[in-house]
């Protein structure tokens, strides 16, 4: 994933936001210059940020850190399309869906720790350390926080909520831990799979990963009503939407700095 030609971790998800009515492409807000743009085609070329990869398995070695999470691309693509269409019968077998949901979580966590990784790299770069020592220190920092989180989430119950009544936004950091971000705290985590579908994980009493992914049709936004606000608050590179109006509504947050307005900083 570190290679410029490799897939961005979220590119499979972003296909669900592609606009195909006459002009195929993706509407997005460039958070760096505050401009609303249109990316032609289906390749999400705007998502070009360098990805720092860390394997979150307990027994990870250096090779595993270099490659990032192993994802079954065909199963993931089938799962995401089924979620977008609201057709669980097209998502594959129970085992395939379970694997795809875990792949989604793994990719969501990769995106979640990028900001932490960049901050750690900047901090260690001020120390008298070699590049390989800096990378090792950053990996250690990320694993200290996220290995336990990944193990915890592996035991969660996951549900795909389809047919949401309002379109969701997605950014370069779409994983939301509502236990930490929401006030008051909510006992779940989420990851948008498409404009109208959301993967939600809740605590369970399981001691293994065995447990089918549930599918539900959402009749209201309910506890997810603040989803888009959380997405915008954590974004610092790009925000993708289904309509330009959605992006116009949040564009002011990312307007270029002026003499009277200090430059925005990352959350």
């Amino acid at each position: 994933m570190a290679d410029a030609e490799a897939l961005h971790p979220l590119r499979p998800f972003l296909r669900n936001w592609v606009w195909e009515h006459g002009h195929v492409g993706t509407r997005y807000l460039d958070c760096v210059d505050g401009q609303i743009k249109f990316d032609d085609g289906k390749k999400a070329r705007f998502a070009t940020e360098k990805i720092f990869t860390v394997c979150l398995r307990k027994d990870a070695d250096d090779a595993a850190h270099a490659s990032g999470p192993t994802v079954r691309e065909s199963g993931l693509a089938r799962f995401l399309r089924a979620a977008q269409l609201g057709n669980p019968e097209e998502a594959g077998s129970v085992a395939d869906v379970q694997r795809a949901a875990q792949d989604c979580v793994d990719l969501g966590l990769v995106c979640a720790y990028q900001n932490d990784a960049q901050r750690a790299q900047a901090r260690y770069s001020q120390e008298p350390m070699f590049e390989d020592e800096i990378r090792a220190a950053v990996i250690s920092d990320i694993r200290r926080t996220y290995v336990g989180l990944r193990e915890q989430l592996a035991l969660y119950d996951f549900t795909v909520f389809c047919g949401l009544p309002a379109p969701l936004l997605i950014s370069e950091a779409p994983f939301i831990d509502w236990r930490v971000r929401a006030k008051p705290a909510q006992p779940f985590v989420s990851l948008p799979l498409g404009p109208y579908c959301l993967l939600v994980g809740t605590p369970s009493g399981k001691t293994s990963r065995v447990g089918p992914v549930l599918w539900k049709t959402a009749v209201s936004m309910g506890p997810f009503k603040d989803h888009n606000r959380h997405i915008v608050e954590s974004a610092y590179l790009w925000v993708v939407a289904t309509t330009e109006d959605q992006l116009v509504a949040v564009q002011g947050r990312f307007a270029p700095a002026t003499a009277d307005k200090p430059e925005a900083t990352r959350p």
Side-chain angles (χ1 to χ4, degrees), residues 241-265:
T242 55
T243 68
E244 189 167 316
D245 288 345
Q246 287 180 281
L247 300 178
V248 169
V250 301
Q251 189 176 17
R253 178 180 174 87
F254 304 100
T258 66
D260 298 323
K261 180 179 178 181
E263 184 176 358
T265 58

Side-chain angles (χ1 to χ4, degrees), residues 53-184:
T53 56
V54 179
C55 182
L56 300 181
R57 298 197 314 266
K58 264 191 172 181
D59 57 349
D61 56 18
D62 290 340
H65 293 313
S67 60
T70 302
V71 174
R72 291 182 182 175
E73 294 182 10
S74 61
L76 176 61
R78 186 168 59 246
F79 173 69
L80 291 172
R81 177 170 174 77
Q84 170 83 332
L85 298 175
N87 293 332
E89 62 276 7
E90 297 182 10
S93 68
V94 171
D96 287 343
V97 171
Q98 287 175 306
R99 171 59 189 265
Q102 188 58 52
D103 285 347
C104 287
V105 172
D106 284 344
L107 294 175
L109 290 179
V110 168
C111 298
Y113 65 64
Q114 292 308 304
N115 203 3
D116 293 334
Q118 289 186 24
R119 289 175 175 174
Q121 283 181 301
R123 184 172 66 253
Y124 289 121
S125 293
Q126 303 302 313
E127 303 293 332
M129 301 169 68
F130 293 109
E131 288 297 322
D132 58 338
E133 293 176 320
I134 292 175
R135 176 168 174 79
V138 174
I139 288 174
S140 178
D141 283 1
I142 298 301
R143 284 177 58 81
R144 192 175 300 117
T145 300
Y146 286 90
V147 168
L149 175 59
R150 180 178 183 267
E151 292 182 344
Q152 184 181 43
L153 296 179
L155 301 179
Y156 268 36
D157 289 326
F158 282 93
T159 302
V160 177
F161 286 87
C162 302
L164 291 166
L168 303 178
L169 301 174
I170 187 171
S171 73
E172 79 281 350
F175 176 83
I176 300 175
D177 189 338
W178 297 73
R179 304 168 303 177
V180 176
R181 298 280 298 279
K183 298 185 184 303

Side-chain angles (χ1 to χ4, degrees), residues 169 181-183 225-234:
L169 301 174
R181 298 280 298 279
K183 298 185 184 303
K225 60 183 175 64
D226 290 328
H227 173 275
N228 286 350
R229 178 173 64 81
H230 289 310
I231 288 292
V232 172
E233 287 178 352
S234 65

Side-chain angles (χ1 to χ4, degrees), residues 184-225:
Q186 301 291 327
F188 57 85
V189 300
S190 70
L191 183 69
L193 305 179
Y196 297 96
C197 48
L198 189 68
L199 181 66
V200 177
T202 54
S204 75
K206 298 197 304 288
T207 57
S208 73
R209 295 189 182 191
V210 178
V213 174
L214 301 179
W215 296 72
K216 293 184 178 180
T217 300
V219 297
S220 70
M221 295 303 289
F224 316 130
K225 60 183 175 64

Side-chain angles (χ1 to χ4, degrees), residues 2-24:
D3 191 295
E5 295 300 316
L7 287 178
H8 186 281
L10 293 177
R11 190 173 292 183
F13 299 78
L14 291 170
R15 291 193 185 102
N16 276 344
W17 273 266
V18 170
W19 180 260
E20 299 191 32
H21 296 275
H23 196 182
V24 177

